[in-house]
Amino acid sequence: MRLTVIGCQGSFPGPGSPASCYLVRAERDGRTWSVLFDLGSGALGALQRHLDLSSIDAIFLSHLHPDHCMDVCGLHVAVHWDPEGFRGERIAIHGPAETPDRLATAYGMPVDPGMHEDFDFRAIAAGEPVTVGPLTVEAFPVRHPVDEAYAFRITETLEDGALRVLTYSGDTDACEALEDAARGADVFLCEAAYHEGRDDAIEGVHLTGRRAGEAAARAGVGRLLLTHLPVWNDATRSVSEARGVFDGEIAVATAGVSYDV
């Protein structure tokens, strides 16, 4: 399994990165499976540096804030209006129950038919794993001020039966479900949008570097990859906060960089 960071800037695109979008690829049966986790503002352009849009096998949306889903509207245009016809299969989009209506409204189109002609919308059901090629994705409800927000546990079963696990936090404050999602993960891609001492009065929205580190330590993960840092955050400070409570490897996600899981 290989993770490519398409976009990792928190809350809105920055000068060096789009908003949240992560490409996970795995090989099986002589082909490469490509799954996206979020497709936030500004991500669609950068994504095309890494794959042809027709090769997307599935998209999982952690929640419906624009910095995590808005470029699905651009993907709709790419699929629906390609003058030569879109070459890929109808893309499955797994997301909160309101996903199809919210995206149609964002684009200014009637919710019926909305984007259903182009995408196979599937409502996420926590605790019900979804299989895409060699990848199994399980959603865990987490703490964020929307009706549905999820962390994802992505498991690849290798041909020898060994497992590789990547957990993506989505947007969340500290909660037990986040630790359950990350339990024993090889790589924990975890948001750290807040700083200790600056955002202490804000509850139930985002993690700090320290709280991300605490979750990583309690879950026993192998490597912590901090992400979703807004442009005004100091990445060095976020790492320092996490390092104070987590002894494992820590890095900050960088747009355009790939990581083996």
Side-chain angles (χ1 to χ4, degrees):
M1 179 168 25
R2 189 165 177 82
L3 163 68
T4 298
V5 178
I6 305 301
C8 55
Q9 200 81 69
S11 301
F12 57 91
S17 174
S20 295
C21 181
Y22 307 94
L23 169 62
V24 176
R25 285 171 157 168
E27 305 289 333
R28 179 65 57 84
D29 301 327
R31 61 159 288 188
T32 300
W33 295 80
S34 301
V35 180
L36 295 179
F37 291 86
D38 287 339
L39 188 57
S41 340
L44 187 63
L47 175 64
Q48 293 170 78
R49 300 176 194 146
H50 299 272
L51 85 172
D52 188 294
L53 298 179
S54 64
S55 67
I56 298 171
D57 289 295
I59 301 172
F60 289 81
L61 300 178
S62 64
H63 64 292
L64 297 179
H65 279 156
D67 60 317
H68 292 260
C69 72
M70 192 51 63
D71 270 24
V72 175
C73 291
L75 181 60
H76 156 72
V77 175
V79 170
H80 193 87
W81 295 106
D82 186 332
E84 296 182 359
F86 186 66
R87 298 185 305 279
E89 300 292 329
R90 187 160 163 255
I91 300 171
I93 298 183
H94 303 261
E98 294 184 0
T99 298
D101 290 358
R102 289 278 295 277
L103 289 173
T105 299
Y107 196 74
M109 60 197 305
V111 297
D112 185 12
M115 300 179 185
H116 287 277
E117 295 178 3
D118 304 301
F119 302 128
D120 178 10
F121 289 103
R122 305 180 187 185
I124 287 173
E128 295 185 8
V130 175
T131 299
V132 184
L135 302 174
T136 299
V137 182
E138 186 175 358
F140 292 74
V142 290
R143 291 177 68 202
H144 198 57
V146 292
D147 290 338
E148 293 181 68
Y150 298 99
F152 295 113
R153 182 179 179 89
I154 306 119
T155 302
E156 179 188 14
T157 303
L158 304 180
E159 293 183 357
D160 63 2
L163 301 179
R164 302 299 290 172
V165 178
L166 165 68
T167 295
Y168 168 45
S169 68
D171 280 6
T172 181
D173 202 345
C175 61
E176 185 176 346
L178 177 64
E179 296 173 23
D180 290 341
R183 193 79 59 204
D186 297 286
V187 176
F188 184 22
L189 178 64
C190 187
E191 71 117 292
Y194 286 165
H195 278 328
E196 294 285 322
R198 185 192 68 189
D199 306 301
D200 297 351
I202 306 173
E203 177 74 10
V205 183
H206 290 297
L207 297 162
T208 62
R210 179 181 179 86
R211 294 203 292 271
E214 289 171 340
R218 285 193 288 261
V221 308
R223 182 168 29 152
L224 174 60
L225 193 58
L226 298 176
T227 193
H228 201 273
L229 278 62
V231 294
W232 48 70
N233 272 25
D234 178 351
T236 302
R237 179 175 169 182
S238 298
V239 170
S240 179
E241 289 180 4
R243 186 163 284 133
V245 292
F246 178 64
D247 295 332
E249 182 182 344
I250 304 172
V252 175
T254 301
V257 174
S258 296
Y259 306 82
D260 289 322
V261 178

